[in-house]
Amino acid sequence: RKPLYPVIGNRDRIGKGAAERFARRFGLPGTSYSFDHKDAHFAVLDTAGLSLTEKTLAWLDRDLAAHPKGSDGIDFLVVAMHIPPATGEIHPHGTRPGYEERSRKLLRILKKHRVDAVLAGHEHMNLAHDWDGILVVVTGIERIPFLPFQRTGFYRIDLEDGAVRGTFVPVDAAP
């Protein structure tokens, strides 16, 4: 039996009280939360409202400060969010005004705490790139006719030997 740690998505927020129902359904303390697994600390951010709020950024800064890399057996720090940060290479669709500026603030927080990776979805593409020393992985694609150049599959993330590796795993997508 494997643990499940979901990230709320924009479609999970449709309707009054939807975010609270999501958290309750999965037994979460809220839609932004954190947990430790083996030698990694994961912070899950709620960006499903198409924004990256100051409140969420402040929570992340406090959470990462309370779980510093190198203490209590934590060797890796990973942030997961539905909508990826605006990185210069990634331009998330549908975000609210100020998302790029808050993404830059997010990068400062990530670098301050030496975060290893950011995991995201939302864009219906598979992409892994270096964002100023931090691995950003956007994954989760179904076969979409208007994106014929995209590979169908997902990224497997391995945290071991002091390194974070993202490996693309193709999935045979029969028509």
Side-chain angles (χ1 to χ4, degrees):
R1 192 169 178 144
K2 303 281 184 190
L4 175 67
Y5 299 101
V7 177
I8 191 168
N10 53 302
R11 288 181 178 80
D12 299 314
R13 283 191 154 274
I14 297 172
K16 186 176 180 182
E20 293 78 12
R21 283 192 306 277
F22 179 91
R24 213 172 27 255
R25 173 173 290 137
F26 291 104
L28 304 172
T31 52
S32 287
Y33 64 97
S34 66
F35 62 94
D36 294 336
H37 180 72
K38 298 183 180 179
D39 59 350
H41 179 74
F42 292 81
V44 177
L45 301 184
D46 180 352
T47 58
L50 305 174
S51 64
L52 190 53
T53 66
E54 292 295 331
K55 180 180 175 183
T56 299
L57 291 171
W59 175 86
L60 176 64
D61 196 22
R62 288 189 309 273
D63 180 76
L64 294 174
H67 302 91
K69 188 187 281 190
S71 71
D72 297 325
I74 296 172
D75 295 326
F76 298 99
L77 295 174
V78 179
V79 172
M81 54 202 293
H82 179 66
I83 299 174
T87 66
E89 187 169 327
I90 300 170
H91 306 278
H93 72 278
T95 56
R96 304 224 187 279
Y99 198 80
E100 287 186 20
E101 177 186 327
R102 290 201 183 99
S103 292
R104 287 190 294 274
K105 185 172 183 179
L106 171 65
L107 179 60
R108 289 191 299 272
I109 293 168
L110 299 176
K111 288 177 74 166
K112 174 173 125 181
H113 296 288
R114 301 181 301 133
V115 168
D116 297 288
V118 174
L119 310 177
H122 185 67
E123 293 302 312
H124 301 276
M125 62 167 40
N126 289 302
L127 169 74
H129 82 98
D130 181 279
W131 186 31
D132 206 10
I134 299 165
L135 175 65
V136 177
V137 176
V138 179
T139 193
I141 188 166
E142 55 204 63
R143 182 158 288 219
I144 300 175
F146 61 86
L147 294 176
F149 55 89
Q150 278 290 332
R151 304 172 295 170
T152 302
F154 61 93
Y155 275 92
R156 175 191 166 118
I157 307 302
D158 290 298
L159 310 171
E160 59 189 12
D161 300 327
V164 178
R165 283 185 301 287
T167 305
F168 183 75
V169 179
V171 174
D172 180 26

